[in-house]
Amino acid sequence: MDNVTVRPVVHVSTCKICNSQAPLYGVADFNKSCEEARGRYLPLVGVPVYYHRCNHCGLVFTRAFDDWTKADYAQHIYNEDYVLIDPDYIDVRPASNAGFIRDFIKKGRDLKCLDYGGGNGTLARLLQEAGVDAHSWDPMDAAGSPSPSGPFDFISAFEVLEHTPEPVATVREALGMLSPRGVLVFSTLTIDHVPARGMDNWYIAPRNGHITLYTRRALLTLFEGEGYRVHHFNNNLHMALNHDPDWLS
Ligand SMILES: [Zn+2]
């Protein structure tokens, strides 16, 4: 964590989804990670990361990394130590997600699938091994691989939205790859009820790259703005679509 620089703090920011006023909400050391929920703590690094909270839709977000390049993220967050603070991303989560997707699309025929934000491509590979026409693409890929040729009937985006500093642009990009009756299934933990000072919440974790945290209202506003409706399976798993495909019944 050498030479990290973050953007200076403004007291009242503008919500990245609904443009309402978003006062300062709280501050966390850069090294605050999700593993603290399991009792594992990285040493504090002394870099404060301030978060704002929208007065209207409740979005909690930081602007500290708005100026970062993909290379900055690769150096400071998605580096060789990332596995220490997100140990499940290597294979536990892809295996579980692959099983879920196979079940979810089982009524579909020859669906073209994309795992958006697929990291090293493990989930798509597991789906391919099961006979699914699955592709993987990651907008944070520092190598900048070209965007995949869609459209796709089904797009998954697991653990993506909390990592983006630009929620509208990210969602617009993913939805732009969907076919007209396509379905986007995505995970991100919604936090609908937060106390006045809620920075102890385990999911607000700059070291994990968790820099944008949603309420259900924030997700609704975000997807309505793109012409999509949102269904919540639970607090972590959601679906966006505008016309129900035949296979989803
Ligand atoms: Zn808002």
Side-chain angles (χ1 to χ4, degrees):
M1 194 58 204
D2 299 324
N3 304 320
V4 67
T5 54
V6 296
R7 181 182 273 221
V9 173
V10 297
H11 289 185
V12 179
S13 187
T14 304
C15 177
K16 290 182 175 184
I17 288 179
C18 76
N19 294 320
S20 299
Q21 287 197 334
L24 281 176
Y25 179 60
V27 61
D29 186 89
F30 177 84
N31 259 359
K32 182 174 185 284
S33 91
C34 293
E35 280 298 288
E36 295 186 5
R38 306 195 216 200
R40 300 191 199 117
Y41 294 81
L42 295 174
L44 299 182
V45 75
V47 176
V49 179
Y50 278 87
Y51 285 73
H52 294 265
R53 184 165 190 264
C54 174
N55 282 335
H56 181 68
C57 77
L59 187 77
V60 171
F61 62 93
T62 181
R63 290 194 174 275
F65 313 118
D66 280 6
D67 297 331
W68 278 24
T69 63
K70 289 179 183 177
D72 291 327
Y73 282 102
Q75 180 182 352
H76 296 298
I77 292 180
Y78 309 114
N79 54 23
E80 65 272 16
D81 288 338
Y82 184 77
V83 65
L84 301 177
I85 46 84
D86 191 9
D88 291 343
Y89 98 101
I90 297 282
D91 46 32
V92 174
R93 209 156 51 222
S96 157
N97 290 342
F100 167 79
I101 290 175
R102 286 177 62 190
D103 185 60
F104 189 83
I105 65 172
K106 64 176 183 281
K107 291 184 182 174
R109 288 285 173 270
D110 303 323
L111 299 183
K112 188 172 179 182
C113 302
L114 173 69
D115 189 32
Y116 179 90
N120 58 13
T122 303
L123 172 56
R125 197 185 69 247
L126 292 171
L127 290 171
Q128 288 162 6
E129 288 168 5
V132 178
D133 181 14
H135 305 259
S136 184
W137 185 69
D138 199 318
M140 291 301 287
D141 180 0
S145 56
S147 53
S149 58
F152 296 91
D153 305 300
F154 176 86
I155 297 179
S156 53
F158 289 104
E159 320 268 323
V160 171
L161 287 192
E162 66 272 23
H163 293 272
T164 179
E166 302 176 299
V168 173
T170 297
V171 160
R172 189 169 292 166
E173 180 176 65
L175 293 175
M177 298 178 189
L178 269 185
S179 64
R181 302 183 78 187
V183 175
L184 170 69
V185 166
F186 62 99
S187 73
T188 193
L189 185 67
T190 51
I191 308 172
D192 284 293
H193 303 288
V194 289
R197 294 284 183 272
M199 292 299 291
D200 285 341
N201 189 298
W202 71 277
Y203 205 62
I204 304 175
R207 180 60 187 85
N208 283 70
H210 284 196
I211 58 186
T212 309
L213 300 311
Y214 305 80
T215 59
R216 289 191 180 199
R217 184 174 189 175
L219 286 180
L220 183 74
T221 307
L222 174 60
F223 282 92
E224 269 187 355
E226 304 301 315
Y228 282 75
R229 66 181 200 272
V230 177
H231 172 79
H232 308 282
F233 298 105
N234 53 48
N235 285 342
N236 189 50
L237 191 64
H238 323 274
M239 171 173 70
L241 72 176
N242 52 20
H243 300 293
D244 294 20
D246 296 332
W247 56 266
L248 189 68
S249 58

